[in-house]
């Protein structure tokens, strides 16, 4: 039996990879194991301030919301969230100035506030639901692949993360994943992350993103198309069979 590493070594190795730092110009940046809606990691910056150290999100929450076309919502939402965390807000950043011995606590507060602001704004954006696409997709697939489709499945990717997939078809000895994707960036990024992880499996399935209209994806179409094939939900059944081949 192979020797088992002590838990202390395992946890120390993992902890070291969860947080990364870099220094640029007059500031240091710390990437934390907190994730914005787009899938990018929350990052805070440290710089000198008259009263000690300024801990700031560097405007990352603002840029996150701007990437979803909701930058104008940042100021009001950030002010309402910041109060609960004891931090401050300017036009584009969340920050607080603290003595050196309070920097650790400030990092927690600023990063949590930054993440909360981005999540609140993105959650309130209007979007067509993936459920609507899923309902239409179910009918399409049942006709294209009668008796060979599972709906609302879970697949484990190469990272060991378990992903929810809309449908799984078994076609000519291989699998094809069909994922309902709304036009909203959150849905696109989520599907893209799942596709990239599933593509790294030893025997990866064919990956197909199903959308209402490709034109509605705008610049995010390229992100989804890099990860898998893209097809409109009202495409002919033969198009679904070709996509799964």
């Amino acid at each position: 039996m192979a020797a088992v590493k002590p838990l202390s070594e395992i946890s120390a190795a993992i902890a070291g990879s969860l947080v990364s730092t870099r220094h640029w110009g007059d500031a240091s940046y710390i990437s934390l194991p907190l994730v914005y809606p787009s899938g990018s990691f929350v990052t805070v910056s440290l710089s000198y301030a008259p009263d000690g150290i300024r801990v700031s999100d560097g405007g990352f929450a603002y840029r996150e919301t701007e990437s979803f076309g909701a930058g104008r919502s940042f100021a009001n939402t950030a002010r309402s969230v910041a109060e609960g965390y004891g931090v401050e807000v300017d036009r584009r950043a969340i920050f607080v100035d603290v003595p050196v011995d309070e920097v650790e606590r400030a990092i927690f507060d600023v990063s949590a506030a930054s993440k909360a602001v981005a999540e609140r704004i993105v959650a309130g954006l209007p979007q067509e639901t993936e459920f609507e696409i899923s309902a239409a997709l179910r009918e399409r697939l049942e006709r294209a692949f009668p008796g060979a489709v599972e709906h609302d499945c879970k697949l484990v990717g190469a990272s060991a993360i378990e992903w929810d997939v809309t449908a799984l078809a078994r076609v000519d000895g291989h699998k094809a994943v069909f994922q309902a994707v709304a036009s909203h960036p959150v849905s696109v990024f989520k599907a893209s992350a799942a596709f990239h992880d599933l593509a790294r499996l030893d025997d990866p399935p064919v990956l197909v993103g199903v959308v209402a209209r490709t034109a509605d994806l705008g610049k995010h179409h390229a992100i989804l198309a890099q990860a898998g094939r893209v097809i409109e939900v009202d495409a002919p059944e033969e198009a679904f069979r070709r996509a799964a081949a």
Side-chain angles (χ1 to χ4, degrees), residues 190-220:
K190 181 175 68 175
S192 177
F195 280 8
H196 281 297
D197 194 21
L198 294 171
R200 292 173 52 229
L201 291 169
D202 291 337
D203 184 20
V206 175
L207 302 165
V208 185
V210 183
V211 302
R213 290 189 343 122
T214 54
D216 292 342
L217 296 178
K219 62 183 180 181
H220 295 102

Side-chain angles (χ1 to χ4, degrees), residues 127-138 152 164-166 179-191 210-212 233:
Q127 57 180 299
E128 82 274 15
T129 66
E130 292 170 12
F131 176 80
E132 294 169 340
I133 300 174
S134 297
L137 176 60
R138 178 182 289 262
D152 300 322
D164 293 319
V165 300
T166 309
Q179 186 71 19
V181 184
S183 62
H184 198 280
V186 171
S187 184
V188 174
F189 290 135
K190 181 175 68 175
V210 183
V211 302
V233 71

Side-chain angles (χ1 to χ4, degrees), residues 137 141 144-145 169 171 174-179 205-210 228-232 235-245:
L137 176 60
L141 294 179
F145 311 103
V171 185
H174 68 270
K175 298 177 181 178
V177 167
F178 290 89
Q179 186 71 19
V206 175
L207 302 165
V208 185
V210 183
R229 301 169 185 176
V230 182
I231 188 173
E232 294 185 350
E237 293 163 25
E238 181 57 32
F240 280 88
R241 286 189 280 268
R242 288 197 303 268

